Amino acid sequence: MKKAVALSIVLGMVLCGCSASQNNHDTSSKTEVSVQSEVSEVSKEESKLPEPESRDIFAMDTYMVLKAYGSNAKKALEESEKEIQRLENLFSVNIADSDIARINANSGNPVTVNVSTKTAIAKAIEIGDMTDGALDITVYPLVREWGFTTGDYKIPDEWLIDWHLGNVGYQKIVINGNIVTVPTEFEIDLGSVAKGYASDAVAQILVENGITSGLINLGGNVYALGRKPDGSKWKVGIENPTDTSKMIGYLEVQNKAVITSGNYERFFEEDGKKYWHIIDPKTGSPADNGIISATIVGDNGLDCDALSTALFVMGTDKAIEFCKAHKEIDAVLVTKDMKIYATDGLEKNLTMTDGLKCEFIKR
Ligand code: AMP
Ligand code: MG
């Protein structure tokens, strides 16, 4: 068999033994981030492809790689970079005059925000409702208490977790036009949806510039625009959550977002136990309900990003039930004991690697 199979597979992942602040929009440390990259093998076939216009960007605490083919590619990528910067300036909890920082600093009071911020918050609320509160952007004080925003990790005292849980509940966010109000003491962050939103925005810019082939990789949040210039579909790898140098398989896609939430993206270990950055809003502690990686495949990056976080929180049984009830959603779920489930909509697109098997969720 040709080596081409392994080629040009873009790992929807950060190739690093991540233990700290990489791949996160909301941490201040930017030094530990490893570069997301493609599988390096290059075949003769692949090398026949025209050179894409390419941009490496560091934003949202993530190394991002944008590639586009076509005559307008350079201009499109310049515009894309500006757009990502604009979104970071709106969404970051660490930029004092960002929309989110202003909402948090003015809890209890109405804050006028940009339409992009409003849209992302509204989507997070919608997916919160859809997932029985598994996605809840008001968990931010807990994300911070566990040290995931600073890298200063700690297991908080029970009473502190309970106290913060008193200020969790996305249902209490009020949106009126472009005015957002959160209750006093509440704080939000868009870490669960920001890169999905950004990937949609970049895809739109590429399309508006007449680009029909491109790959947007926002640190493991991938959007594959059109097909590769040789007419074949993009191959997007899904990282093996237990060994981040490997993948469990890859998806062949076109015009799709492929977005993963994994327990390897940011975590710390204490007394042999691993604690990661996705918090279960019901317990205030890292969501530990059986899933260690949830990948969502769909037309829209924002939805996929919100859902990937939510399905991770839900855990194995609920996430499988959710997939059965929502035929429009495609997902690949990896459990703690390395069982891999995928929705039947991916049967033709998903190729497992490393001898791994996957059970399809029939609908
Ligand atoms: P993602 O990598 O898209 O799954 O997003 C993870 C990020 O979302 C974390 O770093 C937190 O900033 C934030 N977060 C953690 N738990 C939740 C949750 N249950 N709902 C919403 N946002 C969360
Ligand atoms: Mg997400």
Side-chain angles (χ1 to χ4, degrees), residues 24-26 134-137 139 143 189 191-193 260-261 265-266 277-281 305 308-309 313:
N24 286 286
H25 74 292
D26 56 358
L135 188 80
D136 190 330
I137 55 172
V139 294
V143 175
D189 96 285
S192 57
V193 294
T260 302
S261 290
E265 285 168 349
R266 194 169 22 148
H277 67 303
I278 300 176
I279 302 290
D280 186 337
D305 200 358
S308 70
T309 311
V313 171

Side-chain angles (χ1 to χ4, degrees), residues 305-321:
D305 200 358
L307 285 166
S308 70
T309 311
L311 266 66
F312 186 104
V313 171
M314 280 181 187
T316 317
D317 297 343
K318 279 192 187 161
I320 290 173
E321 277 315 304

